[in-house]
C-alpha cells in the first residue's frame, strides 16, 4: 500500500484499566497518522463478553481524551465504517465465516479438547510439531454427519496454506514463518462466537487499514492474519494486505516484561499522581523510539513532526520511572504560569485529607504558584508544598520538628519573632533580613536560623522559598505560628 493514504488503528479490548503499554501503542499509531496526514481509527474489540466491561470501555475513551490522542473514526465520532464496536458487528463476522467455509478456506473441526490434548502430547513426545495436526481438514460429508450424529460440536478452523508466509515487518525487517510453525487455527467457537483471530483482520480489511502497528506479543498472529487476508482478498472482502510493524516489549523491574498487573503499568496511577499528559506521552514515546541523540524532552507537535515507524527500534525498551518523572518535571516547567496554576487546582480543591476544599484560597495560590512551578515532579506534590497556606495550623510532622528544633530553638525563635514583627512585610527581602539578623544574634548562619522558622510556620523542613512563603501567609499568621511553636518548646 505504498502510496495509499495512511490508515492506522488502535483497537483495544475493554478489559481492566488502561496500561502504559497500551498507551504507547495508541501513541505510535496516532503519531504516525498525524505525521503522515493519515487517519486514526479507534475500534473497540469487545467480543469477549466474559472479560469486557462497559466501565473499562468508558475508561478507554476518557483516557485517550485526557491524553489528547484524538481519533478520526470510531466511537462517538462515527466514520464511514461503522459500527466501531465489534460486539455490534456480529452479522459481518458470521457472513465472512460463511464465505470462508463455502470457499474451502475454513472447515469444521470436531476434535474435542481432550483429543487435541492427547495428540499434542504424543506429537511432543515424538519430537513432531505440536500444533493442530489437520485431522479434520479433509473430512467427507459422511464423516461430518457421523460426528454430528455423535453429538459432537465443531469449531471453525482456518486452513493455512502449505507454503511459508514471508513479510517485511516495518520494525524487524523480513520475517519468515514456515507451515510447521503456523498450524490451522480456530476462528469461530463451537457456540458460534467469532474469535479475535477472525474479527481483528476482518475489521482491519473492511476499515481499509494500511498499517498495523502493535505490540510484539502479537507477532505470532501476523502470519495467520496475512494468510486470512489473502483468502479475504480472493473473496473480495479485502483489498490489500496492510503493512505490519511490531513495537518492542517494554521491560519493567528486574528486566521482566512489564505486565498489565504491575502497579507501574497502570495509566491511572500516573494520572492520579499528576503527570501531565504531554510529559507522560513524551516519556512513553521513548520506549522504542528516540527523538534525537541528545534530546529527550520535546513537545508533542515536535514528536509528530519527526515520528516515523521506520525509526522504531526492535530491541526491548526499559521502563524507567525516574526518567519518566524527570521528563514530566521538565514539562511542568514548560507550562506558562497560568496553565500551571490551573493544572494544579484539582489537587488543591479536591476533598483533602488535611483541609476541606472550601479552605482553598485562590489569591494565595496564585501568589505562590510561580515559586512552586520549578519544584514539582508531579502535580500532586503541590499539596505538601502549599498546605501551610490553607490549614489553620501547620501539619504536625515530628521528624521535621526534631530535625529543626536543635540547639536553642526557643532563643532563636524569640529573636526571629521580634525582628519579623518589626520588619517591612511588603517584600520578602525585609523578612530575610530579619531572620538573618536573628541568626547573627545567636551565631547561626541563615540556613540554620531559617530551619526552625520554616518548621514553625509550615510544619516541614523542606518547601518553597521561605520568605516568599511567609509574605504570602501574612504577618499575623506567621507570628501566631511562631508563638505556638514557642509554647510547644516551653511545654
Ligand atoms: N484487541 C487486541 C488487543 O488488545 C488488538 C491487538 C491488535 O492490535 O491486533 O490485544
Ligand atoms: Zn479437528
Amino acid at each position: 500500500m505504498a502510496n495509499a493514504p495512511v490508515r492506522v488503528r488502535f483497537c483495544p479490548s475493554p478489559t481492566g484499566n488502561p496500561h502504559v503499554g497500551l498507551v504507547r501503542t495508541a501513541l505510535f499509531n496516532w503519531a504516525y497518522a498525524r505525521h503522515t496526514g493519515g487517519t486514526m481509527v479507534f475500534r473497540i474489540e469487545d467480543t469477549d463478553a466474559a472479560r469486557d466491561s462497559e466501565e473499562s470501555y468508558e475508561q478507554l475513551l476518557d483516557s485517550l481524551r485526557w491524553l489528547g490522542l484524538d481519533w478520526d473514526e470510531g466511537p462517538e465520532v462515527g466514520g464511514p465504517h461503522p459500527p466501531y464496536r465489534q460486539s455490534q458487528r456480529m452479522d459481518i463476522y458470521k457472513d465472512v465465516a460463511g464465505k470462508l467455509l463455502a470457499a474451502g478456506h475454513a472447515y469444521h473441526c470436531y476434535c474435542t479438547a481432550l483429543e487435541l490434548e492427547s495428540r499434542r502430547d504424543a506429537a511432543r513426545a515424538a519430537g513432531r510439531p505440536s500444533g493442530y495436526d489437520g485431522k479434520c481438514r479433509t473430512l467427507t460429508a459422511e464423516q461430518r454427519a457421523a460426528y454430528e450424529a455423535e453429538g459432537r460440536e465443531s469449531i471453525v478452523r482456518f486452513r493455512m496454506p502449505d507454503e511459508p508466509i514471508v513479510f517485511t515487518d516495518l520494525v524487524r525487517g523480513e520475517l519468515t514463518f514456515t507451515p510447521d510453525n503456523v498450524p490451522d487455527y480456530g476462528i469461530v467457537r463451537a457456540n458460534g462466537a467469532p474469535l479475535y483471530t477472525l474479527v481483528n483482520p476482518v475489521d482491519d480489511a473492511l476499515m481499509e487499514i494500511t498499517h498495523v502497528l502493535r505490540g510484539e506479543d502479537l507477532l505470532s498472529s501476523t502470519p495467520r492474519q496475512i494468510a486470512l487476508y489473502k483468502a479475504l482478498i480472493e473473496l473480495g472482502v479485502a483489498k490489500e494486505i496492510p503493512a505490519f510493524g511490531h513495537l518492542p516489549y517494554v521491560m519493567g523491574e528486574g528486566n521482566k516484561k512489564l505486565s498489565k498487573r504491575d502497579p507501574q503499568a497502570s495509566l491511572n496511577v500516573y494520572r492520579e499522581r499528576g503527570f501531565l499528559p504531554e510529559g507522560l506521552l513524551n516519556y512513553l514515546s521513548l520506549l522504542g523510539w528516540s527523538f534525537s541523540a541528545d534530546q529527550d524532552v520535546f513537545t508533542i507537535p515536535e514528536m509528530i513532526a519527526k515520528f516515523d515507524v521506520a525509526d522504531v527500534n526492535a530491541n526491548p525498551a526499559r521502563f524507567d520511572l525516574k526518567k519518566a518523572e524527570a521528563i514530566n518535571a521538565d514539562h511542568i516547567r514548560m507550562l506558562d504560569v497560568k496553565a500551571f496554576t490551573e493544572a494544579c487546582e484539582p489537587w488543591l480543591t479536591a476533598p483533602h485529607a488535611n483541609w476541606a476544599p472550601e479552605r482553598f484560597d485562590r489569591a494565595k495560590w496564585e501568589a505562590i504558584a510561580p515559586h512552586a512551578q520549578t519544584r514539582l515532579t508531579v502535580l500532586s506534590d503541590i499539596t505538601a508544598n502549599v498546605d501551610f497556606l490553607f490549614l489553620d495550623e501547620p501539619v504536625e510532622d515530628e521528624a521535621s520538628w526534631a530535625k529543626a528544633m536543635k540547639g536553642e530553638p526557643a532563643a532563636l525563635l524569640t529573636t526571629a519573632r521580634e525582628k519579623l514583627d518589626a520588619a517591612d512585610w511588603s517584600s520578602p527581602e525585609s523578612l530575610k533580613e530579619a531572620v538573618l539578623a536573628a541568626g547573627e544574634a545567636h551565631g547561626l548562619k541563615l540556613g540554620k536560623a531559617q530551619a526552625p522558622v520554616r518548621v514553625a510556620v509550615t510544619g516541614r523542613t523542606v518547601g518553597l522559598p521561605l520568605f516568599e512563603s511567609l509574605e504570602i501567609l501574612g504577618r499575623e499568621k506567621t507570628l501566631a505560628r511562631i508563638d505556638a511553636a514557642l509554647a510547644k518548646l516551653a511545654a
Side-chain angles (χ1 to χ4, degrees):
M1 295 210 165
N3 297 311
V6 166
R7 291 178 58 83
V8 292
R9 64 2 171 225
F10 175 54
C11 54
S13 300
T15 58
N17 302 325
H19 59 96
V20 290
L22 201 67
V23 174
R24 196 264 317 250
T25 298
L27 172 63
F28 281 24
N29 278 285
W30 178 83
Y32 193 55
R34 296 294 170 257
H35 176 78
T36 56
T39 300
M40 169 81 168
V41 178
F42 179 25
R43 178 174 81 224
I44 304 293
E45 302 214 319
D46 55 348
T47 52
D48 186 347
R51 297 179 58 224
D52 301 332
S53 78
E54 207 54 25
E55 189 194 339
S56 170
Y57 164 75
E58 296 293 344
Q59 264 205 48
L60 278 167
L61 267 66
D62 182 54
S63 301
L64 290 188
R65 290 219 174 83
W66 177 72
L67 290 160
L69 302 179
D70 57 338
W71 55 98
D72 307 305
E73 294 176 22
E76 297 187 350
V77 308
H81 306 285
Y84 290 91
R85 294 185 71 167
Q86 290 185 327
S87 56
Q88 296 165 4
R89 298 171 64 83
M90 289 300 164
D91 292 347
I92 297 174
Y93 311 131
K94 206 167 174 184
D95 177 60
V96 174
K99 286 181 174 151
L100 289 166
L101 279 167
H105 286 299
Y107 58 90
H108 290 278
C109 166
Y110 294 86
C111 301
T112 64
L114 220 61
E115 288 167 346
L116 292 172
E117 198 184 301
S118 77
R119 280 169 14 226
R120 189 163 51 231
D121 291 346
R124 278 215 186 99
R128 281 182 281 121
S130 60
Y132 183 68
D133 56 7
K135 183 158 192 287
C136 302
R137 270 192 151 197
T138 53
L139 293 181
T140 62
E142 291 75 43
Q143 286 170 313
R144 287 189 53 193
Y147 275 146
E148 269 159 38
E150 274 178 39
R152 282 184 184 242
E153 294 188 319
S154 67
I155 65 160
V156 178
R157 242 182 228 288
F158 184 76
R159 188 190 302 276
M160 282 296 291
D162 295 318
E163 69 270 12
I165 303 277
V166 183
F167 70 98
T168 304
D169 188 282
L170 297 167
V171 175
R172 269 144 240 276
E174 189 176 286
L175 300 173
T176 302
F177 291 83
T178 60
D180 270 0
N181 290 316
V182 196
D184 297 350
Y185 60 95
I187 56 175
V188 181
R189 278 189 222 277
N191 67 5
L195 292 162
Y196 162 78
T197 51
L198 176 70
V199 300
N200 176 278
V202 164
D203 282 347
D204 284 349
L206 295 175
M207 295 177 182
E208 300 180 48
I209 298 305
T210 59
H211 294 73
V212 171
L213 311 179
R214 59 184 175 190
E216 185 174 348
D217 52 321
L218 290 156
L219 182 58
S220 63
S221 61
T222 301
R224 300 166 166 193
Q225 293 183 354
I226 287 175
L228 180 62
Y229 247 100
K230 287 183 179 159
L232 295 177
I233 290 171
E234 201 186 294
L235 296 173
V237 175
K239 292 194 185 123
E240 271 179 273
I241 299 174
F244 289 85
H246 292 88
L247 312 176
Y249 283 121
V250 179
M251 314 306 273
E253 295 290 329
N255 223 27
K256 283 208 308 260
K257 240 182 82 190
L258 193 67
S259 110
K260 286 180 205 173
R261 283 163 295 279
D262 198 319
Q264 268 204 29
S266 162
L267 173 66
N268 292 342
V269 168
Y270 297 91
R271 205 170 158 177
E272 279 154 23
R273 287 187 65 204
F275 268 72
L276 296 175
E278 52 273 36
L280 186 62
L281 291 177
N282 179 163
Y283 176 67
L284 295 180
S285 76
L286 299 174
L287 298 175
W289 181 74
S290 74
F291 183 80
S292 75
D294 54 7
Q295 192 182 340
D296 275 346
V297 181
F298 40 84
T299 66
I300 301 306
E302 285 171 332
M303 178 201 174
I304 290 172
K306 268 203 165 192
F307 185 80
D308 192 338
V309 199
D311 298 332
V312 173
N313 192 317
N315 296 326
R318 200 173 71 81
F319 191 88
D320 179 346
L321 182 60
K322 286 274 161 292
K323 183 160 178 183
E325 288 173 347
I327 288 177
N328 193 62
D330 282 329
H331 278 269
I332 290 178
R333 286 175 184 75
M334 280 152 64
L335 294 174
D336 66 45
V337 177
K338 186 165 180 290
F340 170 75
T341 308
E342 285 168 6
C344 288
E345 269 194 41
W347 278 272
L348 300 173
T349 56
H352 231 277
N354 55 4
W355 81 81
E358 59 274 14
R359 301 196 57 101
F360 172 68
D361 178 331
R362 176 160 283 107
K364 281 194 162 59
W365 164 234
E366 285 175 0
I368 201 124
H371 305 291
Q373 187 169 1
T374 54
R375 309 202 162 220
L376 302 189
T377 297
V378 291
L379 297 177
S380 62
D381 287 351
I382 193 59
T383 56
N385 277 284
V386 300
D387 58 1
F388 72 95
L389 286 174
F390 308 127
L391 294 167
D392 276 337
E393 284 160 19
V395 290
E396 262 184 64
D397 174 5
E398 287 312 322
S400 294
W401 181 271
K403 198 166 162 201
M405 302 300 180
K406 283 192 189 131
E408 294 192 54
L412 181 272
L413 281 175
T414 305
T415 313
R417 190 203 186 286
E418 270 164 31
K419 307 259 180 213
L420 283 168
D421 194 11
D424 167 12
W425 277 76
S426 66
S427 86
E429 282 71 38
S430 165
L431 306 181
K432 182 177 174 183
E433 292 300 322
V435 174
L436 194 65
E440 271 165 13
H442 297 272
L444 297 172
K445 295 220 168 79
L446 182 63
K448 286 258 188 287
Q450 159 173 316
V453 177
R454 183 186 286 283
V455 170
V457 175
T458 71
R460 305 178 200 273
T461 49
V462 288
L464 303 183
L466 180 62
F467 305 107
E468 282 80 354
S469 299
L470 300 185
E471 186 194 3
I472 293 163
L473 180 66
R475 180 169 182 275
E476 201 183 320
K477 283 194 176 159
T478 299
L479 298 182
R481 288 181 187 188
I482 295 176
D483 287 340
L486 282 166
K488 183 172 170 184
L489 287 168

